[in-house]
Amino acid sequence: MPLEAERNRYFWLAGNDPVSTTEPEPPTAEDSLITPLFDMWEYRNALQDAFAQATGPGDFIYLANWWLGLRGGEVVVPQTVADLTDGPTITNRDPFPMDPVTGGDHLIDILAAKAAAGVDVRVLGWISWAANLPNPAAMLGAQMSRMVRASLNAKPDIEATISQDAETMDSVQFLRKQPGMAKSCILNSLGHTVGAMHIKGAIVGRRDQQGPPETFSAVAFTGGLDFQMLRWGQFGHEHRPGWAADNDIKANSWHDMQAVIDGPAAQALYDHFRDMWQENLKRPTMTYRLDKADVPEKEIHTPPVPDRAITGNFIQQPAPPPLHHVQSARTIPAFNYHPDNSFPEGTAYSKAPGGLFEVRACWQKAISGAQRYIYIEDQGYYSREVMEWINDAIRATPDLRVILMMPGAGDPNDLPREDALILERSFNTGLLGLGSGTLLNPDQRNQIRIFQAWGDVHPHNPATDALVLAVDTSDPAFNLIEIGQTWGFDWPRNVFSARFTYARDGATAWRILGNPPIPAGSNARFHVAKVPAPPSVADTLQMRENIGTTVHSKVMIIDDTWASIGSANVMRRSLYTDWEYSVMFMDENPPASNGVKAFRERLWEEHFKRGTPPSVVGEFSDLDTALGAWAPGDPAWQTTPTVPPHATRPAGESGPDYIEPVEVEVNVPSGITQADRDAEQIFYDTFFDPDSRQPWRGMTP
């Protein structure tokens, strides 16, 4: 297909049948290069290379993060109204290293050293102003937190946000004390009451010596990676041998993606950072509390970010370079509040008072143009709207294949939850069309494959093997076992289903299928598979944890032609409520470059454990073969005889395959009442996945 025709099919441009006439065309650039970075190891390497070229006055380093854990540590969250006047406290700080094995340089020290050398270093760290209401409104903040906790039993969620914000405040306060950085850091509070500044980006630039005055070369980064210790991972998701067994990094394996944006397309992220910085400067300064001290959002006379023209490539490119067309897409929320809302209300962004929903427009355009396949890997999949676009594409294109990669483990910062009711709305209703006029027939359903990603298997805690207290085999779907092991807090329904198998004597293993709700202090009870035969009372079981891979990347690839990498998830809040930034790119000179195709090959090789950098096996080069690998043995998918096999576990190791097929139709647990559904819908609409276009009313009925 000619390049112009491909642009019209996949890119959202104002002149090619826009999907929404209310959206301006996103910033679009040519002659740029997008390079996908796999996990924090590759991001670290690219940042170090970029930092090395920012050496003094005229050069700059700008960071914008959702979670800025540059100093780490253990956060103690206030529990009483009196404590709120002191704010959170932090102990046992453990700064973010550029290498978690050897330690080495800490990122916060590198930033301080660059600033001392005259580099313009600036930091935008998000803070949830609604969860950390400033003095003198501490009492109101306490009342808000108590309302949320009492109504939703969401104390761990609130505390996680406050803990994250404390790390960001701590990072900012430390940097402000470094030479040349007193007015170089802002706590970014532009978000909606229940929205986040979810952007995870950086821009590094140098003044061009040969060009006109005030022109710069720059490289930008966007994706899913924050500078926080839980985000470390490496290609293949393996654990580094030097990581300690009790280190938080080893609690799960992490898969993520960051994009390098080199060339003219870097201008868009630079401009967006500048606009966010200037917007914060316009607003009154709120003050928060940390370790009994005031932390202002910004210091008096913080200077604006200058306008700069990004004209050149920052990275030395081959000749001719494999250049891309790039679209830079933002989500900026609306700020609609119901007249009855009793919560504090945010202020609309002055440049887009009605919001900007460019990510939504770009994704819908590309999905609607898909011809061969849609591949997505994401942590959420809660957007019914995105699933409806895929449903439309399947019904319009009989040969289309859809592959969705889900995490085997949630973000360790998130509260464990049963999300079947949310996925029922997106997968069952949106994707499959159950109960609607867009019902997929069996052949169309067979065009979809869904997988979970898994890492290693480890004994959970060999010192606490559990004794079987009771076994119930009466249910036709599973055996119910009760064991002599307790936890100190409530566990929701089915939170263990994606985490554990049970093993007896190191050989026989049962897969945990779910669990009834387990109150704090009660014996654990689990639904286990009917095969092998159930354990017996008085058997001693060892819990083996399947280390689920946290698929935190936000990636779409379509037809080996178009790809998206950024901060936006397949969630309603990423389309409408959180601030997001993603890049969409296409090859300018296919087939000579095939950057999108190469990205797809390398990514699938990793999931199948077929290739390890710097060598690439190449088994996924042929698209028919690659698609058939996701559905081996199915003639509707397998169109070539050679199919790379799924990676399987070593003999004798219990646990699911590294990529495990998941039923497309979500199974909602029995016993769910209409009251349960109503409560979940309120939580979903109000806090979990809100839509900023709708009047938000907080806890008001």
Side-chain angles (χ1 to χ4, degrees):
M1 184 184 295
L3 179 59
E4 188 61 30
E6 288 185 341
R7 278 166 51 92
N8 287 333
R9 173 172 289 279
Y10 302 99
F11 259 21
W12 192 87
L13 303 167
N16 71 351
D17 187 27
V19 296
S20 170
T21 57
T22 64
E23 293 296 325
E25 183 175 312
T28 304
E30 299 180 359
D31 300 330
S32 298
L33 181 65
I34 302 297
T35 303
L37 301 176
F38 285 55
D39 300 312
M40 185 66 82
W41 288 98
E42 294 188 9
Y43 186 22
R44 181 276 310 265
N45 293 338
L47 276 175
Q48 287 182 317
D49 291 344
F51 288 164
Q53 299 189 52
T55 58
D59 301 336
F60 61 88
I61 297 172
Y62 296 163
L63 305 183
N65 258 201
W66 174 71
W67 186 353
L68 198 65
L70 296 180
R71 299 187 78 201
E74 299 175 10
V75 180
V76 179
V77 175
Q79 300 295 320
T80 68
V81 173
D83 291 340
L84 276 168
T85 60
D86 295 336
T89 59
I90 302 180
T91 61
N92 300 324
R93 288 180 176 85
D94 184 18
F96 183 89
M98 297 305 275
D99 187 328
V101 177
T102 64
D105 294 333
H106 296 131
L107 178 56
I108 199 164
D109 296 330
I110 294 173
L111 297 176
K114 291 293 183 180
V119 177
D120 181 15
V121 178
R122 311 231 188 174
V123 173
L124 272 175
W126 172 62
I127 187 168
S128 172
W129 55 269
N132 296 271
L133 285 174
N135 289 331
M139 181 64 72
L140 179 58
Q143 292 302 317
M144 184 188 76
S145 295
R146 289 170 63 190
M147 288 168 59
V148 172
R149 294 172 183 179
S151 301
L152 301 174
N153 192 25
K155 179 179 175 182
D157 284 333
I158 295 293
E159 291 190 352
T161 299
I162 294 174
S163 178
Q164 173 185 330
D165 291 342
E167 287 193 39
T168 297
M169 286 191 282
D170 191 46
S171 300
V172 164
Q173 279 292 74
F174 179 87
L175 287 171
R176 285 174 177 168
K177 296 175 183 178
Q178 308 311 305
M181 295 198 69
K183 303 179 188 301
S184 296
C185 301
I186 291 179
L187 293 172
N188 192 354
S189 61
L190 303 182
H192 189 280
T193 307
V194 286
M197 302 293 303
H198 199 233
I199 297 167
K200 301 116 181 292
I203 315 104
V204 182
R206 63 172 183 267
R207 188 194 301 273
D208 287 333
Q209 302 299 320
Q210 306 300 323
E214 297 305 308
T215 60
F216 297 81
S217 296
V219 63
F221 304 86
T222 187
L225 284 160
D226 300 282
F227 300 121
Q228 208 282 336
M229 282 296 293
L230 289 174
R231 269 50 181 159
W232 275 100
Q234 68 167 356
F235 186 92
H237 317 143
E238 296 89 355
H239 301 300
R240 294 281 291 195
W243 287 349
D246 59 351
N247 194 305
D248 283 343
I249 301 171
K250 199 171 179 62
N252 62 293
S253 74
W254 192 271
H255 171 70
D256 220 326
M257 198 69 60
Q258 202 82 359
V260 181
I261 311 166
D262 187 31
Q267 182 77 58
L269 185 53
Y270 180 90
D271 292 344
H272 191 46
F273 183 96
R274 182 201 61 212
D275 290 345
M276 289 189 292
W277 188 275
Q278 260 71 313
E279 185 77 13
N280 275 284
L281 294 184
K282 294 177 184 177
R283 301 191 179 192
T285 300
M286 292 191 286
T287 300
Y288 308 98
R289 296 284 286 177
L290 176 71
D291 283 334
K292 302 182 181 181
D294 288 340
V295 184
E297 288 178 332
K298 56 185 177 291
E299 298 291 352
I300 298 173
H301 305 310
T302 293
V305 171
D307 290 344
R308 289 187 173 108
I310 309 301
T311 59
N313 287 96
F314 190 85
I315 303 171
Q316 185 68 36
Q317 303 294 349
L323 296 176
H324 300 126
H325 286 320
V326 180
Q327 282 196 316
S328 300
R330 299 162 292 178
T331 296
I332 297 174
F335 286 80
N336 295 322
Y337 292 91
H338 194 278
D340 294 337
N341 172 48
S342 59
F343 277 51
E345 300 180 0
T347 303
Y349 179 48
S350 62
K351 286 198 168 187
L356 282 176
F357 313 114
E358 296 166 345
V359 172
R360 173 198 180 276
C362 290
W363 282 2
Q364 185 177 8
K365 176 67 179 180
I367 288 171
S368 68
Q371 299 295 292
R372 293 296 312 280
Y373 74 88
I374 298 169
Y375 173 81
I376 304 176
E377 57 182 44
D378 198 271
Q379 71 188 102
Y381 296 103
Y382 300 136
S383 172
R384 173 174 167 178
E385 186 176 14
V386 173
M387 294 299 110
E388 288 174 339
W389 303 337
I390 297 174
N391 173 287
D392 291 340
I394 289 171
R395 290 185 294 108
T397 310
D399 293 331
L400 184 67
R401 300 292 178 255
V402 175
I403 303 160
L404 307 179
M405 179 64 73
M406 300 178 67
D411 187 329
N413 188 56
D414 293 342
L415 181 69
R417 56 177 288 111
E418 162 60 50
D419 60 1
L421 289 179
I422 299 176
L423 293 176
E424 179 189 36
R425 281 192 293 270
S426 59
F427 281 166
N428 292 3
T429 305
L431 180 59
L432 298 180
L434 297 175
S436 72
T438 61
L439 179 67
L440 299 185
N441 63 40
D443 288 340
Q444 291 167 335
R445 287 177 64 140
N446 192 47
Q447 294 174 234
I448 306 166
R449 291 294 185 274
I450 303 179
F451 296 86
Q452 283 184 305
W454 296 95
D456 301 331
V457 175
H458 297 290
H460 179 59
N461 188 341
T464 57
D465 292 350
L467 189 69
V468 178
L469 303 179
V471 178
D472 183 350
T473 61
S474 61
D475 195 291
F478 53 77
N479 296 316
L480 178 65
I481 65 171
E482 180 177 341
I483 64 169
Q485 191 172 77
T486 63
W487 284 270
F489 41 87
D490 295 344
W491 284 101
R493 184 195 315 265
N494 287 350
V495 296
F496 291 114
S497 59
R499 294 180 60 189
F500 294 117
T501 55
Y502 264 111
R504 177 179 59 189
D505 299 328
T508 307
W510 293 266
R511 179 75 180 270
I512 291 179
L513 304 177
N515 60 274
I518 305 172
S522 300
N523 291 325
R525 302 169 75 227
F526 297 104
H527 306 145
V528 299
K530 295 292 278 188
V531 293
S536 302
V537 173
D539 275 347
T540 299
L541 298 179
Q542 180 190 80
M543 182 183 285
R544 290 186 178 178
E545 185 166 6
N546 306 312
I547 304 298
T549 296
T550 300
V551 178
H552 194 256
S553 48
K554 302 94 169 62
V555 167
M556 289 190 190
I557 311 176
I558 294 177
D559 294 351
D560 279 7
T561 304
W562 174 98
S564 171
I565 303 173
S567 68
N569 291 104
V570 184
M571 301 181 188
R572 189 169 64 179
R573 66 184 308 126
S574 285
L575 301 182
Y576 302 112
T577 306
D578 291 342
W579 290 64
E580 306 280 11
Y581 195 92
S582 296
V583 288
M584 294 78 184
F585 60 102
M586 298 173 57
D587 292 298
E588 271 183 28
N589 52 351
S593 60
N594 281 337
V596 175
K597 179 176 181 288
F599 174 35
R600 188 265 301 163
E601 287 183 53
R602 185 179 177 217
L603 188 57
W604 291 8
E605 285 170 353
E606 176 182 9
H607 286 308
F608 279 67
K609 295 189 177 293
R610 306 296 289 182
T612 301
S615 64
V616 175
V617 175
E619 291 176 289
F620 289 87
S621 178
D622 177 74
L623 183 55
D624 287 338
T625 299
L627 291 173
W630 295 97
D634 187 335
W637 280 66
Q638 184 175 332
T639 56
T640 55
T642 303
V643 178
H646 288 196
T648 57
R649 298 221 172 265
E653 183 178 288
S654 58
D657 288 345
Y658 291 106
I659 48 174
E660 181 186 33
V662 175
E663 289 294 330
V664 177
E665 185 172 339
V666 176
N667 177 33
V668 178
S670 60
I672 297 292
T673 66
Q674 188 58 46
D676 295 329
R677 293 181 181 276
D678 293 344
E680 181 67 38
Q681 188 70 53
I682 292 172
F683 177 73
Y684 179 81
D685 292 336
T686 307
F687 293 101
F688 187 78
D689 203 19
D691 182 346
S692 73
R693 301 170 303 169
Q694 305 303 318
W696 193 81
R697 63 193 307 166
M699 296 305 303
T700 307

